[in-house]
Amino acid sequence: MEEKARQLVARLAATPDSAVRDLPFVHRALTVPLLSAASAALRLTLLLSRLRPRRDLPVPVVSVGNLTWGGNGKTPMVDFLARSFHRLGMSPLILTRGYAGGDEPKMLRRRLSDTSAKIGVGANRAAVASSMLRTYGYIHHSKTFCAEKKPSSTSKLESGIIGVAILDDGMQHWSLLRDVEIVMVNGLAPWGNTHFIPRGPMREPLSALGRADIVVIHNADLASELQLKAIRSTIEDNAATCSMFYSRLAPSHIFEAKQPLWKLPLNVLNDKIVLCVSAIGCPNAFIHTVREMGPLKIDRMDFSDHHFFNAHDLKIIQETVRNLMDQHGKDVIILITEKDYDRDPEALTTLDAKVWVLSSSLQIIPHKEHGEDEFMRKVKEILAITGRSKSHAVDWTPS
């Protein structure tokens, strides 16, 4: 029942006002007015939250956020930034809320286990940062990015001293000041019906794009040039001075849910019957990616973002697998995303079918000379400017 309610809200969030009259009467008469009232209350709450005092960390802070719920590529971007800073010789601290069971920090912890990244989880990210900086130590912002000097030394990276903080889902998190504001936009569904949550997908109005230093249009490889042009126009109207980039989620390999260290090539799906099961923000992007790998047949089961698979879900999934086997006379592969796997690694392994996981990483798509190198150059450039402005600041002591 709860899952059906979430799916209903998601459908309404994608329904423009002009199409509301086509909804069933009960939705028009009850659900839409209730959601609209809740949206107004959320808008007021957001305005009040901006009045709270904000803390300034002694390390540079890069915020990764968005204006809408789910499917914008925030977590892949955090992963991308953490690896990039690690390669630069800076140990990153990821500050994340750990929403809905913490599937995203679990995924980041697994994926970044071969780097110097630290992950702090908690709703009060200022308090989490304070604790982590006190535990591991830090390099002051004014010493991190200065002129053309290297960000930090290899010895400091190996010692785990924190050189930069990455604020996951940070755009509406007002307790911490940030040096770089990166806003992710879903190229397949950028603004929904433009209403606030829960009547729509918006967390803030489009004018909030004016705070962005960098806007990244995610899933740009799946959007048409006409769609991208419309998105760029909206961004330029609201954030004329920001830099704009494109990104995609590029698959790298597949692994078995029961044997995560065993990597399989992407072409293993050739001529297979595949059932895509996902509880993510943008399942259409997942389906498109799988289709490009050449399976014989794709079926799908979509659940709401962050959904935990229960016994009833597993029963329906198993029945769907049996039906597909009867139809095609072949074994069926259940394919899930990393986020679904890390939410509960054991959940789907009880099924009588092979469960494989698609592993992917964010890539900056070259566009008008705006590729990966230019993206990180822009991030470092902004951090260097803010670092110089803080070079005479009084030293910070963790509380």
Side-chain angles (χ1 to χ4, degrees):
M1 189 68 178
E2 185 179 346
E3 172 62 11
K4 288 183 178 179
R6 288 200 194 101
Q7 292 182 353
L8 171 60
V9 170
R11 284 197 299 273
L12 290 173
T15 304
D17 291 341
S18 60
V20 167
R21 62 178 179 274
D22 298 327
L23 296 173
F25 173 76
V26 67
H27 294 167
R28 294 199 313 270
L30 296 176
T31 310
V32 172
L34 287 173
L35 294 179
S36 297
S39 296
L42 175 64
R43 194 164 193 157
L44 178 61
T45 301
L46 283 172
L47 287 172
L48 293 175
S49 69
R50 297 187 66 171
L51 301 177
R52 297 172 184 170
R54 308 173 77 182
R55 293 191 64 185
D56 192 5
L57 295 184
V59 296
V61 176
V62 179
S63 168
V64 179
N66 59 352
L67 291 186
T68 62
W69 64 23
N72 298 276
K74 290 191 308 295
T75 305
M77 174 56 77
V78 169
D79 177 274
F80 173 87
L81 286 168
R83 289 191 175 278
S84 297
F85 283 124
H86 173 79
R87 287 194 294 268
L88 287 170
M90 301 176 67
S91 182
L93 168 62
I94 298 171
L95 298 170
T96 179
R97 181 177 52 170
Y99 175 77
D103 47 14
E104 290 157 350
K106 289 175 185 175
M107 184 175 79
L108 289 168
R109 192 170 281 118
R110 176 181 59 82
R111 286 182 56 90
L112 296 171
S113 60
D114 60 339
T115 73
S116 59
K118 315 288 188 302
I119 301 178
V121 182
N124 187 341
R125 280 173 267 189
V128 172
S130 177
S131 174
M132 299 287 279
L133 294 172
R134 185 168 57 247
T135 300
Y136 294 101
Y138 61 90
I139 306 168
H140 196 278
H141 193 159
S142 61
K143 300 176 183 178
T144 306
F145 287 93
C146 182
E148 297 300 322
K149 294 180 181 178
K150 292 183 179 180
S152 64
S153 66
T154 303
S155 61
K156 288 178 179 176
L157 177 63
E158 292 172 349
S159 68
I161 297 175
I162 295 166
V164 62
I166 304 172
L167 189 56
D168 178 33
D169 198 8
M171 192 171 186
Q172 291 78 38
H173 187 78
W174 300 103
S175 67
L176 286 176
L177 293 168
R178 67 287 316 272
D179 302 282
V180 182
E181 188 82 79
I182 298 174
V183 178
M184 304 296 295
V185 175
N186 184 357
L188 294 178
W191 329 115
N193 59 16
T194 70
H195 285 289
F196 264 60
I197 295 172
R199 172 62 183 89
M202 302 294 290
R203 294 175 168 186
E204 292 189 73
L206 289 171
S207 59
L209 286 167
R211 302 202 307 273
D213 298 298
I214 297 171
V215 175
V216 179
I217 303 175
H218 190 53
N219 294 323
D221 57 320
L222 308 182
S224 68
E225 183 53 41
L226 193 63
Q227 288 174 300
L228 294 174
K229 183 178 180 181
I231 296 170
R232 288 197 305 268
S233 177
T234 300
I235 294 170
E236 288 165 358
D237 288 345
N238 290 277
T241 60
C242 77
S243 298
M244 214 178 307
F245 294 87
Y246 290 168
S247 70
R248 66 187 286 256
L249 207 53
S252 57
H253 65 274
I254 289 168
F255 64 87
E256 290 201 21
K258 290 182 179 179
Q259 295 179 298
L261 298 181
W262 184 17
K263 294 183 179 182
L264 303 170
L266 297 175
N267 61 12
V268 75
L269 292 182
N270 287 353
D271 300 321
K272 294 286 194 302
I273 309 298
V274 178
L275 174 62
C276 294
V277 178
S278 66
I280 56 177
C282 189
N284 287 341
F286 175 45
I287 299 300
H288 180 91
T289 299
V290 176
R291 188 174 291 119
E292 294 295 305
M293 297 179 195
L296 180 65
K297 163 74 177 178
I298 295 178
D299 205 344
R300 64 191 288 178
M301 295 185 68
D302 302 339
F303 296 82
S304 61
D305 199 10
H306 301 290
H307 177 73
F308 274 86
F309 300 118
N310 55 40
H312 178 67
D313 301 328
L314 297 178
K315 180 180 178 181
I316 295 175
I317 293 170
Q318 189 69 70
E319 289 175 355
T320 304
V321 168
R322 291 197 189 100
N323 290 337
L324 287 170
M325 289 178 65
D326 291 342
Q327 290 173 26
H328 300 279
K330 297 181 69 172
D331 288 341
V332 175
I333 303 297
I334 297 174
L335 190 67
I336 62 176
T337 70
E338 289 181 278
K339 184 175 170 181
D340 296 305
Y341 168 77
D342 285 301
R343 190 179 303 119
D344 187 352
E346 305 298 324
L348 296 173
T349 58
T350 59
L351 293 168
D352 185 19
K354 289 183 179 178
V355 180
W356 291 354
V357 186
L358 180 62
S359 182
S360 305
S361 298
L362 184 139
Q363 289 182 351
I364 301 296
I365 303 173
H367 172 69
K368 294 182 179 179
E369 300 182 359
H370 280 198
E372 183 174 322
D373 291 342
E374 173 62 19
F375 177 84
M376 285 308 299
R377 188 199 67 76
K378 186 64 180 178
V379 172
K380 290 186 289 182
E381 176 187 287
I382 298 169
L383 290 177
I385 293 171
T386 56
R388 285 194 294 271
S389 68
K390 294 180 179 181
S391 61
H392 301 295
V394 177
D395 198 14
W396 177 89
T397 304
S399 56

